[in-house]
Amino acid sequence: MDSQKSPSDDAKAQEPNTGSLYLENSDLEGDTLREECGVFGIFGHPEAAAITALGLHALQHRGQEAAGIVSFDGTRFHSERRLGLVGDTFSRREVIDRLPGNTAIGHVRYSTTGETILRNVQPLFAELNAGGFAVGHNGNLTNGLTLRRELVRGGAMMQSTTDTEVILHLVAQSKRNHFIERFIEALRTIEGAYSLVSLTNKKLLGARDPLGIRPLVLGEFEGCPILASETCALDIIGAKYVRDVEPGEIVVFDERGAQSHKPFPPKPPRPCIFEYIYFSRPDSIVGGRSVYDVRKAFGAQLARESHVDVDVVVPVPDSGVPAAVGYSQYSGVPFELGIIRNHYVGRTFIQPTQSIRESGVKMKHNANRAAIEGKRIILIDDSLVRGTTSKKIVRMMRDAGAREVHFRLASPPIIYPDYYGIDLPDRGGLLAATHNLEEMRELIGADTLAFLSVDGMYRAMGYPGRDPANPKFSDHCFTGVYPTNLTDHDQVEPQPRQLSLLAEAS
């Protein structure tokens, strides 16, 4: 939580002069939910680093800014941490060869906390008096800044601007005799959301926060235990899913086998609802539910609540596709790919001149005129943040000849910020927090606009509705009900945005 990035606004990209049948990559990067992070670990396999790299490939959707792997060969730890995609570094054999050992952990990152610089890339590593300790973290600590300030006042020297480093220092300063006791003591101190994979010279550890806000699963491959953020990372290597790591559970793997520790008082789980709405891959199983099936159910419930007469259902790719399938199947309205996404346009595609940029070379989404011209369409997307992308897409549909454009969101209005690892703007930057429904409809230019209701979201998950006394999910972005203390947010004393003014090339 050191420094939160906000999605870009309209000022960050000029409008193309050639009409709006296309949307540029930068247009669609600016107004979307940002992925969190992904973690992976394996114990006891001779190809640990290569398997970890494959697992990170499957988790790439959870973070595209940096990736890292730390391995242990029985004597030394080895680390490779790089900015960019997993395939930019870890698809090369010479890199994997620099990560020997039969135990490894890996991390893909989106910078919800701290800048995107090499010193923030995880897994982080520290040399403790008991040996080396590496950790990768998915989530966000809601007291990380407060703890960091206390640690620095006590003489700690921080090397990164990420809250994960706090965990290293808490473990290092513990006076307990055994490492697992030191680890537990550190976890008792932190608040917020976390799924951790950690590596010592003897153990692989996984830990999940007491409410289970962030996911973590346990698998097995050729007799070796695996920890991963999602089941899709198990599928890519042919590993068997064993079970979810339980909320508040710490699992430990060493030469003696597996141990489970549950040091926290049990609480009703509150997993993050956005894992089902957006973050997890559709082919993953989260909390025993198929993410694909849940998103289809969101779409079907949306059709129950807000259908109007139209000719075709059009998803906003790729995140809106499963909900649009569910909407189409329930409503009986044909599903059409009215927007085609170019998957081969990278974020850093070089544009030689402004005129070529404006000519439509760098395009990520293209209107499929044949599917929408002259038709009444319903656009289905997963969520709405600032509304800038939705506005561009609606205009793109009208320019391609759509007779009516109705917009539907397969989640409730986002009206509160997140403090658990989702990179959302503050309330003032959330369209639904500053505009009513009619104002939002007018701003994005749709004929009608509707969101999935909060109760409808719960009904799609198999519940009668949301029980205010016992909500089943962390749904604070819609309800304002936060499941943990927000210590940093509630501090009167201004919090530092970064540790120092040091900037480094990376």
Side-chain angles (χ1 to χ4, degrees):
M1 269 183 62
D2 315 20
S3 58
Q4 288 218 351
K5 295 183 180 179
S6 296
S8 58
D9 55 25
D10 287 342
K12 290 193 177 180
Q14 296 182 1
E15 299 292 338
N17 294 330
T18 54
S20 53
L21 299 188
Y22 308 91
L23 283 183
E24 294 194 34
N25 187 25
S26 57
D27 291 331
L28 284 116
E29 294 295 343
D31 179 39
T32 184
L33 294 169
R34 294 288 194 171
E35 294 86 350
E36 306 151 315
C37 297
V39 295
F40 188 94
I42 184 169
F43 182 85
H45 197 283
E47 292 289 329
I51 292 170
T52 299
L54 286 172
L56 295 182
H57 271 289
L59 298 172
Q60 186 75 86
H61 59 285
R62 299 187 70 90
Q64 297 92 47
E65 294 194 350
I69 294 175
V70 172
S71 70
F72 181 66
D73 65 5
T75 303
R76 298 180 60 194
F77 289 86
H78 306 267
S79 175
E80 289 282 340
R81 300 183 299 153
R82 294 289 185 269
L83 301 180
L85 301 176
V86 176
D88 294 342
T89 297
F90 295 103
S91 60
R92 302 198 300 272
R93 188 70 231 183
E94 64 268 23
V95 175
I96 299 300
D97 288 343
R98 294 200 296 266
L99 294 164
N102 66 358
T103 303
I105 63 172
H107 187 271
V108 288
R109 168 180 169 81
Y110 177 74
S111 59
T112 58
T113 300
E115 303 169 275
T116 304
I117 52 178
L118 192 56
R119 58 184 170 147
N120 283 343
V121 179
Q122 300 183 36
L124 299 182
F125 177 81
E127 192 72 41
L128 310 183
N129 63 352
F133 175 46
V135 62
H137 173 205
N138 169 214
N140 211 60
L141 306 184
T142 55
N143 66 340
L145 291 172
T146 301
L147 290 172
R148 189 181 73 183
R149 187 180 64 224
E150 294 172 358
L151 288 164
V152 170
R153 285 174 177 169
M157 295 183 291
M158 298 285 185
Q159 298 298 310
S160 74
T161 62
T162 173
D163 60 351
T164 309
E165 190 175 5
V166 167
I167 300 170
L168 292 176
H169 284 273
L170 291 173
V171 173
Q173 292 187 5
S174 173
K175 305 301 182 185
R176 302 282 184 172
N177 293 325
H178 300 290
F179 179 84
I180 187 61
E181 294 173 346
R182 301 170 73 176
F183 190 67
I184 289 171
E185 185 173 69
L187 297 190
R188 290 188 189 277
T189 307
I190 62 178
E191 300 170 353
Y194 57 85
S195 284
L196 304 174
V197 292
S198 302
L199 182 63
T200 73
N201 54 2
K202 295 181 180 179
K203 305 177 188 297
L204 171 70
L205 302 94
R208 197 173 176 201
D209 64 76
L211 294 175
I213 298 174
R214 294 284 156 252
L216 190 65
V217 299
L218 172 61
E220 182 181 303
F221 179 67
E222 297 181 353
C224 301
I226 290 176
L227 294 165
S229 290
E230 294 182 37
T231 60
C232 64
L234 305 178
D235 296 337
I236 196 173
I237 60 172
K240 181 181 75 172
Y241 166 78
V242 176
R243 63 178 178 87
D244 284 18
V245 176
E246 295 180 18
E249 183 182 16
I250 300 168
V251 289
V252 183
F253 303 97
D254 57 23
E255 292 182 350
R256 297 174 298 170
Q259 303 99 47
S260 172
H261 302 265
K262 297 180 181 178
F264 301 102
K267 297 180 179 179
R270 295 280 295 278
C272 179
I273 192 66
F274 271 109
E275 292 292 340
Y276 297 99
I277 293 170
Y278 181 83
F279 289 128
S280 295
R281 242 173 61 167
D283 52 333
S284 284
I285 306 297
V286 175
R289 292 180 169 93
S290 160
V291 174
Y292 180 73
D293 286 345
V294 169
R295 290 178 186 167
K296 284 175 59 180
F298 286 158
Q301 183 64 30
L302 190 60
R304 291 186 189 96
E305 294 182 354
S306 60
H307 184 60
V308 294
D309 288 335
V310 291
D311 302 309
V312 295
V313 174
V314 175
V316 177
D318 287 324
S319 57
V321 172
V325 171
Y327 192 107
S328 173
Q329 290 177 348
Y330 182 83
S331 66
V333 177
F335 173 97
E336 294 286 356
L337 293 177
I339 303 171
I340 305 300
R341 179 179 177 183
N342 179 4
H343 291 268
Y344 303 99
V345 177
R347 283 181 166 188
T348 56
F349 187 86
I350 298 173
Q351 298 297 331
T353 66
Q354 176 70 9
S355 61
I356 292 178
R357 186 187 76 84
E358 291 181 349
S359 72
V361 174
K362 179 188 171 188
M363 298 300 166
K364 194 170 185 179
H365 290 71
N366 179 26
N368 183 10
R369 185 183 291 272
I372 61 179
E373 188 172 19
K375 295 177 181 176
R376 303 167 300 169
I377 70 170
I378 273 191
L379 285 169
I380 307 289
D381 205 354
D382 62 338
S383 56
L384 185 148
V385 182
R386 291 181 179 268
T388 52
T389 299
S390 302
K391 179 179 179 180
K392 294 173 187 293
I393 289 176
V394 169
R395 188 174 69 243
M396 182 174 70
M397 295 292 94
R398 294 199 188 279
D399 289 347
R403 186 152 52 97
E404 296 177 9
V405 181
H406 304 269
F407 214 104
R408 298 293 181 268
L409 286 307
S411 65
I414 300 173
I415 54 180
Y416 296 95
D418 179 79
Y419 301 102
Y420 301 108
I422 304 173
D423 188 42
L424 285 174
D426 293 333
R427 263 200 107 181
L430 297 169
L431 188 68
T434 56
H435 297 71
N436 63 33
L437 187 65
E438 176 57 24
E439 290 169 340
M440 287 189 284
R441 183 205 64 77
E442 185 175 353
L443 188 146
I444 69 173
D447 290 284
T448 65
L449 173 68
F451 294 80
L452 183 64
S453 68
V454 172
D455 279 336
M457 178 178 68
Y458 273 83
R459 292 187 188 106
M461 300 289 287
Y463 300 100
R466 183 181 189 273
D467 179 3
N470 184 27
K472 303 297 183 183
F473 300 95
S474 290
D475 53 20
H476 45 276
C477 293
F478 312 128
T479 64
V481 179
Y482 292 90
T484 74
N485 295 328
L486 302 179
T487 302
D488 291 339
H489 179 70
D490 295 336
Q491 289 288 321
V492 176
E493 179 180 343
Q495 296 286 359
R497 299 299 286 180
Q498 62 181 37
L499 278 175
S500 69
L501 298 179
L502 175 66
E504 56 186 359
S506 55

